[in-house]
């Protein structure tokens, strides 16, 4: 007799895997998939946010994308970055072709803090890194109230 440790979530993973096979081509019962509901050609842009002195600096990795194909918008306190790369088509007769580089559309949205001024935002693009610099606004100072007794 072999003792086997019971995993209560193994059945749920097996059920999820069974219903998410390629034959169905859809997520089962609304469970999240590896692409988080997006198509395989869409994926999120990696993003770093850093506080530097009086600025909030966002750096996004968009390698292989021309600066003309990147769209950055700020609307209602949300910064959105959209980009797209075209797939390179290459055919070989009788040979094997391996494709690992991604192509398609890229998208990322982040909510900006109230302490930045989106009207004075600046952006730059160099070596596949998009840099967005947002200056901080002077925060309203808290008003101190004196407490009177009686």
């Amino acid at each position: 007799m072999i003792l086997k440790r019971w995993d209560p979530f193994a059945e749920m993973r097996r059920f999820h895997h069974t219903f998410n096979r390629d034959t169905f081509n859809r997520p089962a019962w609304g469970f999240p998939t590896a692409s988080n509901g997006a198509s395989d050609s869409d994926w999120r842009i990696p993003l770093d946010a850093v506080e530097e002195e009086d600025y909030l600096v966002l750096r996004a990795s968009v390698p292989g994308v021309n600066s003309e194909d990147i769209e950055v918008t700020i609307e209602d306190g949300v910064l959105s970055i959209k980009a797209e790369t075209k797939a390179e088509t290459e055919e070989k007769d009788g040979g094997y072709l391996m494709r690992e580089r991604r192509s398609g559309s890229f998208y990322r949205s982040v909510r900006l803090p109230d302490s930045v001024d989106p009207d004075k935002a600046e952006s730059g693009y160099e070596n596949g890194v998009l840099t967005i610099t947002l200056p901080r606004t002077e925060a309203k100072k808290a008003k101190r109230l004196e407490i009177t007794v009686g």
Side-chain angles (χ1 to χ4, degrees), residues 10 24 33 38 40 52 86 93 101 132 137 147:
F24 287 97
T33 60
D40 290 338
E52 294 180 358
K86 307 293 188 258
D93 295 330
R101 292 183 21 216
I132 301 166
T137 58
I147 300 173

Side-chain angles (χ1 to χ4, degrees), residues 8 15 30 54 61 86 89 95 103 111 119 123-124 134 143 145 147:
F15 175 80
D54 294 334
S61 296
K86 307 293 188 258
T89 57
S103 62
R111 178 157 298 283
D119 295 329
S123 64
L134 299 151
K143 183 178 177 182
L145 299 175
I147 300 173

Side-chain angles (χ1 to χ4, degrees), residues 35 37-45 83-87 101-107:
S35 61
S39 68
D40 290 338
S41 62
D42 293 342
W43 55 281
R44 299 181 94 189
I45 297 171
E84 186 173 351
T85 59
K86 307 293 188 258
R101 292 183 21 216
R102 291 185 176 190
S103 62
S105 60
F106 310 83
Y107 181 79

